[in-house]
mmCIF file of all heavy atoms in Angstrom:
data_model
loop_
_atom_site.group_PDB
_atom_site.id
_atom_site.type_symbol
_atom_site.label_atom_id
_atom_site.label_comp_id
_atom_site.label_asym_id
_atom_site.label_seq_id
_atom_site.Cartn_x
_atom_site.Cartn_y
_atom_site.Cartn_z
ATOM 1 N N CYS B 140 185.840 -2.790 215.227
ATOM 2 C CA CYS B 140 185.973 -3.698 214.061
ATOM 3 C C CYS B 140 184.746 -4.554 213.901
ATOM 4 O O CYS B 140 184.201 -4.770 212.828
ATOM 5 C CB CYS B 140 187.234 -4.587 214.311
ATOM 6 S SG CYS B 140 187.254 -5.511 215.878
ATOM 7 N N GLU B 141 184.234 -5.110 215.015
ATOM 8 C CA GLU B 141 183.024 -5.936 214.976
ATOM 9 C C GLU B 141 181.868 -5.168 214.425
ATOM 10 O O GLU B 141 181.081 -5.702 213.617
ATOM 11 C CB GLU B 141 182.781 -6.530 216.362
ATOM 12 C CG GLU B 141 181.771 -7.593 216.407
ATOM 13 C CD GLU B 141 180.365 -7.131 216.691
ATOM 14 O OE1 GLU B 141 180.213 -5.996 217.033
ATOM 15 O OE2 GLU B 141 179.405 -7.879 216.480
ATOM 16 N N VAL B 143 181.848 -2.314 212.586
ATOM 17 C CA VAL B 143 181.952 -1.819 211.186
ATOM 18 C C VAL B 143 181.705 -2.960 210.287
ATOM 19 O O VAL B 143 181.015 -2.856 209.202
ATOM 20 C CB VAL B 143 183.322 -1.108 210.949
ATOM 21 C CG1 VAL B 143 184.428 -2.114 210.739
ATOM 22 C CG2 VAL B 143 183.156 -0.156 209.762
ATOM 23 N N CYS B 144 182.203 -4.186 210.649
ATOM 24 C CA CYS B 144 182.036 -5.373 209.789
ATOM 25 C C CYS B 144 180.574 -5.741 209.691
ATOM 26 O O CYS B 144 180.133 -6.166 208.684
ATOM 27 C CB CYS B 144 182.905 -6.482 210.334
ATOM 28 S SG CYS B 144 182.917 -7.962 209.265
ATOM 29 N N ARG B 145 179.915 -5.615 210.814
ATOM 30 C CA ARG B 145 178.459 -6.060 210.823
ATOM 31 C C ARG B 145 177.566 -4.980 210.254
ATOM 32 O O ARG B 145 176.770 -5.220 209.381
ATOM 33 C CB ARG B 145 178.030 -6.363 212.233
ATOM 34 C CG ARG B 145 176.669 -6.808 212.452
ATOM 35 C CD ARG B 145 176.492 -7.554 213.835
ATOM 36 N NE ARG B 145 177.150 -6.765 214.927
ATOM 37 C CZ ARG B 145 176.568 -5.802 215.556
ATOM 38 N NH1 ARG B 145 175.379 -5.410 215.272
ATOM 39 N NH2 ARG B 145 177.254 -5.136 216.551
ATOM 40 N N VAL B 148 179.839 -3.033 206.514
ATOM 41 C CA VAL B 148 180.223 -3.931 205.503
ATOM 42 C C VAL B 148 179.118 -5.053 205.245
ATOM 43 O O VAL B 148 178.831 -5.388 204.133
ATOM 44 C CB VAL B 148 181.524 -4.641 205.762
ATOM 45 C CG1 VAL B 148 182.002 -5.578 204.667
ATOM 46 C CG2 VAL B 148 182.603 -3.613 206.158
ATOM 47 N N ALA B 150 179.356 -7.979 206.451
ATOM 48 C CA ALA B 150 179.961 -9.328 206.273
ATOM 49 C C ALA B 150 179.830 -10.192 207.508
ATOM 50 O O ALA B 150 179.825 -11.434 207.404
ATOM 51 C CB ALA B 150 181.384 -9.198 205.932
ATOM 52 N N ASN B 151 179.695 -9.502 208.721
ATOM 53 C CA ASN B 151 179.536 -10.303 209.978
ATOM 54 C C ASN B 151 180.720 -11.344 210.139
ATOM 55 O O ASN B 151 180.411 -12.508 210.527
ATOM 56 C CB ASN B 151 178.253 -11.080 209.973
ATOM 57 C CG ASN B 151 177.176 -10.394 210.759
ATOM 58 O OD1 ASN B 151 177.449 -9.909 211.894
ATOM 59 N ND2 ASN B 151 176.014 -10.229 210.126
ATOM 60 N N ALA B 152 181.859 -10.933 209.822
ATOM 61 C CA ALA B 152 182.918 -11.924 209.717
ATOM 62 C C ALA B 152 183.592 -12.259 211.082
ATOM 63 O O ALA B 152 184.188 -13.291 211.234
ATOM 64 C CB ALA B 152 184.004 -11.471 208.765
ATOM 65 N N ILE B 153 183.440 -11.326 212.097
ATOM 66 C CA ILE B 153 184.130 -11.522 213.366
ATOM 67 C C ILE B 153 183.113 -11.279 214.473
ATOM 68 O O ILE B 153 182.095 -10.668 214.248
ATOM 69 C CB ILE B 153 185.272 -10.531 213.498
ATOM 70 C CG1 ILE B 153 184.884 -9.162 213.075
ATOM 71 C CG2 ILE B 153 186.512 -11.027 212.675
ATOM 72 C CD1 ILE B 153 185.956 -8.093 213.155
ATOM 73 N N ALA B 172 188.226 -16.529 209.233
ATOM 74 C CA ALA B 172 187.024 -15.716 209.087
ATOM 75 C C ALA B 172 186.475 -15.914 207.685
ATOM 76 O O ALA B 172 186.764 -15.142 206.765
ATOM 77 C CB ALA B 172 187.312 -14.258 209.393
ATOM 78 N N PHE B 174 183.762 -15.459 206.245
ATOM 79 C CA PHE B 174 182.925 -14.462 205.576
ATOM 80 C C PHE B 174 183.581 -13.149 205.297
ATOM 81 O O PHE B 174 183.094 -12.216 204.727
ATOM 82 C CB PHE B 174 181.666 -14.149 206.427
ATOM 83 C CG PHE B 174 180.816 -15.397 206.654
ATOM 84 C CD1 PHE B 174 180.545 -15.870 207.928
ATOM 85 C CD2 PHE B 174 180.341 -16.140 205.496
ATOM 86 C CE1 PHE B 174 179.798 -17.012 208.080
ATOM 87 C CE2 PHE B 174 179.552 -17.275 205.715
ATOM 88 C CZ PHE B 174 179.333 -17.716 207.002
ATOM 89 N N CYS B 175 184.876 -13.031 205.741
ATOM 90 C CA CYS B 175 185.614 -11.792 205.597
ATOM 91 C C CYS B 175 185.926 -11.555 204.119
ATOM 92 O O CYS B 175 186.438 -12.448 203.438
ATOM 93 C CB CYS B 175 186.944 -11.877 206.414
ATOM 94 S SG CYS B 175 188.122 -10.577 206.040
ATOM 95 N N ILE B 176 185.626 -10.343 203.613
ATOM 96 C CA ILE B 176 185.850 -10.084 202.225
ATOM 97 C C ILE B 176 187.153 -9.290 202.034
ATOM 98 O O ILE B 176 187.464 -8.905 200.863
ATOM 99 C CB ILE B 176 184.678 -9.316 201.602
ATOM 100 C CG1 ILE B 176 184.474 -7.904 202.312
ATOM 101 C CG2 ILE B 176 183.382 -10.103 201.692
ATOM 102 C CD1 ILE B 176 183.504 -7.000 201.594
ATOM 103 N N GLY B 177 187.868 -9.068 203.082
ATOM 104 C CA GLY B 177 189.159 -8.396 203.017
ATOM 105 C C GLY B 177 189.042 -6.953 202.649
ATOM 106 O O GLY B 177 189.940 -6.372 202.082
ATOM 107 N N CYS B 178 187.978 -6.311 203.057
ATOM 108 C CA CYS B 178 187.735 -4.898 202.692
ATOM 109 C C CYS B 178 188.649 -3.915 203.435
ATOM 110 O O CYS B 178 188.849 -2.831 203.075
ATOM 111 C CB CYS B 178 186.278 -4.527 202.952
ATOM 112 S SG CYS B 178 185.858 -4.531 204.669
ATOM 113 N N GLY B 179 189.098 -4.391 204.601
ATOM 114 C CA GLY B 179 190.011 -3.518 205.371
ATOM 115 C C GLY B 179 189.330 -2.491 206.225
ATOM 116 O O GLY B 179 190.005 -1.652 206.880
ATOM 117 N N ALA B 180 188.043 -2.501 206.335
ATOM 118 C CA ALA B 180 187.370 -1.516 207.107
ATOM 119 C C ALA B 180 187.739 -1.623 208.569
ATOM 120 O O ALA B 180 187.937 -0.596 209.262
ATOM 121 C CB ALA B 180 185.846 -1.650 206.966
ATOM 122 N N CYS B 181 187.862 -2.836 209.088
ATOM 123 C CA CYS B 181 188.223 -3.063 210.473
ATOM 124 C C CYS B 181 189.626 -2.531 210.752
ATOM 125 O O CYS B 181 189.942 -1.948 211.801
ATOM 126 C CB CYS B 181 188.106 -4.512 210.798
ATOM 127 S SG CYS B 181 189.093 -5.616 209.765
ATOM 128 N N VAL B 182 190.534 -2.737 209.723
ATOM 129 C CA VAL B 182 191.896 -2.216 209.892
ATOM 130 C C VAL B 182 191.885 -0.736 210.055
ATOM 131 O O VAL B 182 192.610 -0.150 210.925
ATOM 132 C CB VAL B 182 192.702 -2.591 208.654
ATOM 133 C CG1 VAL B 182 194.114 -2.137 208.780
ATOM 134 C CG2 VAL B 182 192.651 -4.080 208.417
ATOM 135 N N ILE B 190 195.008 -4.675 213.908
ATOM 136 C CA ILE B 190 194.661 -5.510 212.757
ATOM 137 C C ILE B 190 195.549 -5.019 211.577
ATOM 138 O O ILE B 190 195.563 -3.856 211.276
ATOM 139 C CB ILE B 190 193.196 -5.394 212.372
ATOM 140 C CG1 ILE B 190 192.350 -5.463 213.630
ATOM 141 C CG2 ILE B 190 192.808 -6.486 211.418
ATOM 142 C CD1 ILE B 190 190.977 -4.892 213.439
ATOM 143 N N ILE B 192 196.753 -5.690 207.427
ATOM 144 C CA ILE B 192 196.364 -6.367 206.191
ATOM 145 C C ILE B 192 197.584 -6.341 205.262
ATOM 146 O O ILE B 192 198.288 -5.350 205.173
ATOM 147 C CB ILE B 192 195.134 -5.693 205.613
ATOM 148 C CG1 ILE B 192 194.450 -6.574 204.526
ATOM 149 C CG2 ILE B 192 195.454 -4.318 205.049
ATOM 150 C CD1 ILE B 192 193.039 -6.188 204.211
ATOM 151 N N ILE B 201 194.885 -11.271 206.242
ATOM 152 C CA ILE B 201 194.649 -10.602 207.514
ATOM 153 C C ILE B 201 194.973 -11.663 208.627
ATOM 154 O O ILE B 201 194.114 -12.508 208.898
ATOM 155 C CB ILE B 201 193.217 -10.080 207.623
ATOM 156 C CG1 ILE B 201 192.875 -9.176 206.523
ATOM 157 C CG2 ILE B 201 193.047 -9.337 208.995
ATOM 158 C CD1 ILE B 201 191.456 -8.617 206.559
ATOM 159 N N TRP B 204 192.573 -12.362 211.632
ATOM 160 C CA TRP B 204 191.356 -13.170 211.439
ATOM 161 C C TRP B 204 191.670 -14.464 210.686
ATOM 162 O O TRP B 204 190.772 -15.075 210.127
ATOM 163 C CB TRP B 204 190.321 -12.354 210.654
ATOM 164 C CG TRP B 204 190.090 -10.907 211.147
ATOM 165 C CD1 TRP B 204 190.002 -9.840 210.308
ATOM 166 C CD2 TRP B 204 189.896 -10.462 212.517
ATOM 167 N NE1 TRP B 204 189.760 -8.734 211.064
ATOM 168 C CE2 TRP B 204 189.677 -9.059 212.412
ATOM 169 C CE3 TRP B 204 189.861 -11.054 213.747
ATOM 170 C CZ2 TRP B 204 189.508 -8.265 213.520
ATOM 171 C CZ3 TRP B 204 189.658 -10.277 214.885
ATOM 172 C CH2 TRP B 204 189.447 -8.878 214.727
ATOM 173 N N ARG B 206 192.744 -14.938 207.889
ATOM 174 C CA ARG B 206 192.068 -14.873 206.571
ATOM 175 C C ARG B 206 193.092 -14.743 205.396
ATOM 176 O O ARG B 206 193.945 -13.834 205.457
ATOM 177 C CB ARG B 206 191.154 -13.646 206.556
ATOM 178 C CG ARG B 206 190.225 -13.632 205.384
ATOM 179 C CD ARG B 206 189.313 -14.766 205.188
ATOM 180 N NE ARG B 206 188.333 -14.601 204.203
ATOM 181 C CZ ARG B 206 187.725 -15.600 203.569
ATOM 182 N NH1 ARG B 206 188.169 -16.824 203.729
ATOM 183 N NH2 ARG B 206 186.782 -15.391 202.692
ATOM 184 N N LEU B 208 192.915 -14.419 201.329
ATOM 185 C CA LEU B 208 192.010 -14.221 200.188
ATOM 186 C C LEU B 208 192.752 -14.256 198.830
ATOM 187 O O LEU B 208 193.750 -13.490 198.723
ATOM 188 C CB LEU B 208 191.243 -12.936 200.356
ATOM 189 C CG LEU B 208 190.165 -12.943 201.413
ATOM 190 C CD1 LEU B 208 190.094 -11.575 202.049
ATOM 191 C CD2 LEU B 208 188.780 -13.350 200.828
ATOM 192 N N GLN B 225 185.572 -10.883 197.727
ATOM 193 C CA GLN B 225 185.075 -9.544 197.921
ATOM 194 C C GLN B 225 184.269 -9.139 196.656
ATOM 195 O O GLN B 225 183.183 -8.623 196.782
ATOM 196 C CB GLN B 225 186.282 -8.589 198.139
ATOM 197 C CG GLN B 225 185.808 -7.167 198.293
ATOM 198 C CD GLN B 225 187.027 -6.233 198.571
ATOM 199 O OE1 GLN B 225 188.117 -6.539 198.066
ATOM 200 N NE2 GLN B 225 186.834 -5.217 199.286
HETATM 201 S S1 SF4 C 1009 188.325 -6.902 206.425
HETATM 202 FE FE1 SF4 C 1009 187.028 -8.685 206.849
HETATM 203 S S2 SF4 C 1009 186.696 -8.632 209.021
HETATM 204 FE FE2 SF4 C 1009 187.483 -6.604 208.484
HETATM 205 S S3 SF4 C 1009 185.641 -5.372 208.133
HETATM 206 FE FE3 SF4 C 1009 186.208 -6.231 206.167
HETATM 207 S S4 SF4 C 1009 185.046 -8.070 206.045
HETATM 208 FE FE4 SF4 C 1009 185.044 -7.509 208.161
#
Side-chain angles (χ1 to χ4, degrees):
Chain B
C140 53
E141 189 268 348
V143 80
C144 184
R145 180 162 45 84
V148 183
N151 262 311
I153 47 180
F174 301 120
C175 167
I176 61 169
C178 67
C181 54
V182 180
I190 317 162
I192 195 160
I201 305 178
W204 315 135
R206 186 58 168 155
L208 287 145
Q225 177 179 32

